[in-house]
Amino acid sequence: MVLYRRIRLLITSMFFPRLVLLFSIVISVISCVGIVASALARIIMRFCLYEYVEKALREASDIASIQVVVATGGEPTLFPKHLELLIKTAADFGFVTRLVTNAWWARTLEAARRYVKRWRELGLEELNISFDDFHLEYLRLFGSEENVVNAARAAVEEGLRTVVAVTRTRETKIDASYVRKLLGDLAEEVMIVDDFISPTSRASGLFEEAEENLPLFGGCARAGSEISIHPNGDVVFCCGHIITDPASAWFTRVGNITREHLWDVVDRIQRNVLIWYIRSIGPHVLVKKFFNEEEEVKHICHACHLLATKYWKELETRGKEWVINDLKKEVKGLHVRVLAK
């Protein structure tokens, strides 16, 4: 049975999910309303015990499509022993390694070089710096926006892929062009990505500042391929804005790594019709097409939040067969039979 499951995952993972791991091993003292940089797939862990970090990496190595391990937060650099274990173990397994950080530790260029050199020696390959109006307020407690420049310069010098990720609203000052000016000569060597907030959880009060209504097309590529593991071991099927939202986080839970093998969770994700719908067609389509076409959906994560809260009872009443039937109509050639097993 174990061999069967392993072979099945090796085959099916070639098309879905395409996994990259994201471990969030700490809760940050710096607030974040939320971008997660684009990747194939991720698994998040917060305050995980050493054995669970190692267990997840070992089990992930059995799944052929998993390629990248990302340490994020919160702020993982606040717990250096956990972070170093994660980077070293992931690198030893042959994963690409990425660190997401707010750069509080880079007050001077010399300090930044010391940190980055150590992580590079352990096997780190990419540094992803979170920087925007929301982070800057707290970053000033440890320096200034120059921290971002120092961290980026140290990473480029060490040959790391370097990214600055910005979360913005229509009212914020910091965007991609702001970051390019800040980085100066480094801008050509650093990837800059930005995203609008999802008005959920801590950002729920920013609804009017969020992006305009989403167009009625496009699935969520992260659903089912960006997997998160929480401090208590709960595994969720994405790494989006709602995974820590008190009202809607439950919607994304699919298993628990302390009680089961990772490939069992991945297998369950592959058979979940709602995840397929969110991935292939989009949660905002589900909201507008079947529940309320006038609903104002600001972000694809906001759509999942609405499904988990405002429209869950109606969705549950309609049932799985209804979702499967609509999937068959919308996505030609989709192997829907596996979803019913």
Side-chain angles (χ1 to χ4, degrees), residues 102-303:
N102 52 49
W104 69 271
W105 42 268
R107 187 164 191 161
T108 66
L109 182 56
E110 291 72 23
R113 284 170 172 158
R114 286 196 302 272
Y115 278 100
V116 173
K117 181 178 175 58
R118 172 59 177 163
W119 297 327
R120 181 59 162 165
E121 290 172 346
L122 292 168
L124 185 65
E125 297 180 54
E126 179 181 313
L127 189 72
N128 187 306
I129 305 163
S130 300
F131 176 63
D132 43 50
D133 285 41
F134 310 104
H135 284 86
L136 182 58
E137 177 184 355
Y138 299 92
L139 187 59
R140 289 193 176 111
L141 298 174
F142 305 95
S144 68
E145 59 187 21
E146 193 63 24
N147 288 44
V148 176
V149 180
N150 293 336
R153 189 174 299 281
V156 169
E157 289 176 354
E158 285 290 338
L160 299 182
R161 287 185 297 276
T162 308
V163 178
V164 176
V166 179
T167 301
R168 61 190 176 94
T169 72
R170 286 181 287 169
E171 306 296 327
T172 51
K173 176 182 71 172
I174 298 172
D175 57 13
S177 61
Y178 183 98
V179 173
R180 288 190 191 95
K181 291 177 183 177
L182 176 66
L183 292 176
D185 62 302
L186 285 173
E188 294 301 316
E189 300 182 75
V190 175
M191 178 184 294
I192 303 169
V193 297
D194 65 356
D195 184 25
F196 270 88
I197 62 162
S198 171
T200 57
S201 192
R202 286 174 291 176
S204 58
L206 300 175
F207 186 86
E208 296 302 324
E209 296 180 31
E211 183 58 286
E212 297 298 332
N213 213 7
L214 280 178
L216 193 61
F217 62 85
C220 177
R222 293 188 173 113
S225 59
E226 302 191 358
I227 303 174
S228 309
I229 303 177
H230 292 300
N232 63 355
D234 281 345
V235 182
V236 307
F237 69 75
C238 73
C239 65
H241 300 271
I242 74 167
I243 62 173
T244 57
D245 181 81
S248 53
W250 68 269
F251 179 77
T252 61
R253 294 182 195 130
V254 288
N256 190 291
I257 199 170
T258 67
R259 299 191 296 268
E260 55 191 328
H261 198 288
L262 182 59
W263 66 46
D264 290 321
V265 180
V266 171
D267 184 71
R268 191 175 304 125
I269 289 170
Q270 290 178 320
R271 295 169 180 268
N272 188 296
V273 63
L274 187 55
I275 295 174
W276 274 94
Y277 198 106
I278 291 169
R279 179 181 175 83
S280 303
I281 302 173
H284 50 307
V285 176
L286 199 58
V287 168
K288 288 177 172 286
K289 183 178 178 180
F290 295 105
F291 300 123
N292 183 1
E293 104 180 274
E294 301 301 320
E295 183 72 63
E296 194 170 6
V297 181
K298 296 283 194 173
H299 191 283
I300 203 160
C301 295
H302 182 220

Side-chain angles (χ1 to χ4, degrees), residues 300-319:
I300 203 160
C301 295
H302 182 220
C304 276
H305 174 77
L306 291 170
L307 289 175
T309 54
K310 189 173 181 179
Y311 298 112
W312 176 249
K313 287 186 178 179
E314 187 174 351
L315 181 60
E316 192 174 33
T317 300
R318 289 178 182 249

Side-chain angles (χ1 to χ4, degrees), residues 69-72 75-77 83 87 97-101 105 119 124 126-129:
V69 172
V70 186
T72 188
E75 181 53 45
T77 63
L83 177 60
I87 294 172
T97 53
R98 176 183 303 150
L99 168 61
V100 179
T101 177
W105 42 268
W119 297 327
L124 185 65
E126 179 181 313
L127 189 72
N128 187 306
I129 305 163

